[in-house]
Amino acid sequence: MLPHPENELLWRVRTAVEKGDRSVVEGNILAARLDSRSSTEPPQQRQYSLLFVGTWTHYVHGDCHKAASALRLLLAVGGGGGAQACAAYTLAICMQFTGVARDEVCLAGLLQQAADAGHAAACNALGVCCAYGTGVAKDMGRAEALLNRAFDAGSTLAMCSLGQCHLLGRFRLDYERSITLFRGAADLGNSMAMYFLAVCYLYGRGVAKDPARGVQLMQAAVQAGNPVAFNTFGRFLLSGDHGLPKDAERGATLLLWAEQSGDPVALNTLGVSYANGDVPGGVDKKKAVLLFERAAHRGNHTAAANLARCCATGAAAGVEWDARRAVALLRAAQQAGNHLAGDEIVRILANKRPRGPMYC
């Protein structure tokens, strides 16, 4: 029986989606459909429940546009509670990371709606928006408050986000705190925390440099399905970095997985790999530009800065020269916190080419 959209069965579906466990998601959706056939709940409530289940069905089978349509209907039906908050949050994620039309102001509004209802992951995502000025005014105080609120609710996403902010000095530089947060989130299975903790060990950020431990953690992030780790570890295998034996076949496979994931961070770092020739087949500037464009479209301002560098370089970077577009992209990146973008703008306005490596 399916008496309410917040019941345990749908909670299991939602949890499995967040963990990326497709078989568990599909099994629970099937169970929910079977239970709903004998439901005695009111028609409107039953419609709400089934629509919620249908949304996850579309999500699991990769049709983000159908998922977004179902989510919008779900929000229109109303009903309140955790399911409504989850719908607002998931629609925001569809807009951020898939091919659904992106509207940063609308995205932030959906996250605010879910955060107001106590959705921890939405508090984390809205906190990140505030830290970068995505859809809302940049406000580090509000960002820290939202991330801490999500952290207090037990969100491993928030633990990782806070760790990043302390690692990069966005609130205040605190390596010890960032390592503690990364370790805590990694122990709870957060693959992004595993990735950042691996980076800290590989390069000695807040801990004694330990390449063997860094590689071990990076492998754990790969096994947990992290697309950024796919890309990074794939490049390690291609080049034989950090004591790893070269393995071009596996390295290329991981890079392909990174691209297929659609994750904007992975798309950007993969674009850098193509621009530098750190992939099978060597340098491919046009492929790099396409990857930067995909990542920038999904809100990655680092990729936008890289795309700007390509536009300011022209044909040699695989794209038509366009200084006006380059400056616009860099100004957006600067507003999002890229401290080097201002110098890049000055160089472009002085008719000078960008210098230095791409941003990872």
Side-chain angles (χ1 to χ4, degrees):
M1 186 173 177
L2 194 60
H4 193 277
E6 293 182 67
N7 72 10
E8 182 181 355
L9 195 61
L10 293 179
W11 177 84
R12 289 205 303 268
V13 172
R14 192 161 64 240
T15 301
V17 167
E18 290 172 354
K19 290 183 176 179
D21 193 333
R22 186 186 184 96
S23 61
V24 173
V25 173
E26 291 180 329
N28 279 296
I29 284 174
L30 177 60
R33 282 175 165 169
L34 292 173
D35 283 354
S36 69
R37 292 172 186 170
S38 60
S39 174
T40 58
E41 62 190 345
Q44 183 180 12
Q45 186 64 58
R46 185 165 182 269
Q47 177 192 20
Y48 186 68
S49 300
L50 289 171
L51 186 54
F52 185 57
V53 174
T55 297
W56 290 117
T57 306
H58 294 315
Y59 185 98
V60 169
H61 291 291
D63 193 330
C64 57
H65 292 282
K66 285 186 179 178
S69 296
L71 286 162
R72 290 188 179 102
L73 283 170
L74 178 54
L75 289 169
V77 168
Q84 190 84 353
C86 186
Y89 169 73
T90 309
L91 180 55
I93 296 304
C94 280
M95 294 175 68
Q96 186 171 11
F97 295 117
T98 71
V100 175
R102 183 183 175 88
D103 180 334
E104 291 184 348
V105 175
C106 179
L107 185 154
L110 288 164
L111 291 175
Q112 184 68 66
Q113 179 182 342
D116 288 344
H119 194 286
C123 290
N124 170 73
L126 185 59
V128 173
C129 287
C130 290
Y132 288 91
T134 304
V136 292
K138 188 174 180 180
D139 186 337
M140 298 309 294
R142 185 184 176 203
E144 187 171 15
L146 282 162
L147 291 177
N148 280 321
R149 180 179 164 193
F151 171 78
D152 291 341
S155 169
T156 59
L157 295 172
M159 293 172 72
C160 188
S161 297
L162 283 167
Q164 288 177 255
C165 288
H166 286 301
L167 181 68
L168 301 173
R170 287 199 163 272
F171 301 146
R172 52 199 160 274
L173 192 64
D174 189 339
Y175 285 145
E176 184 177 350
R177 178 65 174 153
S178 68
I179 294 299
T180 299
L181 288 163
F182 288 147
R183 280 178 176 154
D187 288 345
L188 292 171
N190 185 290
S191 64
M192 202 68 214
M194 296 174 196
Y195 171 82
F196 278 109
L197 194 55
V199 171
C200 289
Y201 275 104
L202 288 169
Y203 300 104
R205 301 290 187 268
V207 291
K209 189 174 181 179
D210 187 343
R213 177 62 175 151
V215 167
Q216 182 183 37
L217 285 162
M218 192 67 73
Q219 287 178 312
V222 168
Q223 290 170 355
N226 186 278
V228 183
F230 290 162
N231 179 63
T232 303
F233 197 65
R235 289 189 291 117
F236 288 172
L237 291 171
L238 289 172
S239 60
D241 285 346
H242 303 291
L244 287 166
K246 287 187 177 183
D247 188 338
E249 183 177 354
R250 188 181 176 213
T253 298
L254 287 172
L255 291 177
L256 179 61
W257 289 353
E259 182 179 357
Q260 291 175 342
S261 74
D263 180 90
V265 177
L267 291 172
N268 176 66
T269 50
L270 186 57
V272 173
S273 297
Y274 274 102
N276 295 338
D278 301 329
V279 289
V283 173
D284 189 335
K285 300 290 189 181
K286 290 185 178 180
K287 179 72 171 179
V289 167
L290 289 173
L291 289 164
F292 292 146
E293 286 180 333
R294 286 176 61 193
H297 178 69
R298 297 181 185 188
N300 187 289
H301 294 290
T302 304
N306 284 332
L307 181 58
R309 293 166 65 90
C310 294
C311 291
T313 302
V319 67
E320 184 178 347
W321 182 83
D322 189 339
R324 182 176 296 179
R325 185 186 184 197
V327 170
L329 287 163
L330 285 168
R331 282 181 175 151
Q334 185 179 36
Q335 291 175 355
N338 188 315
H339 304 299
L340 300 176
D343 291 338
E344 296 273 15
I345 292 171
V346 171
R347 290 186 62 81
I348 292 170
L349 292 176
N351 292 319
K352 296 180 180 178
R353 286 192 174 190
R355 62 184 178 186
M358 292 285 188
Y359 302 115
C360 290

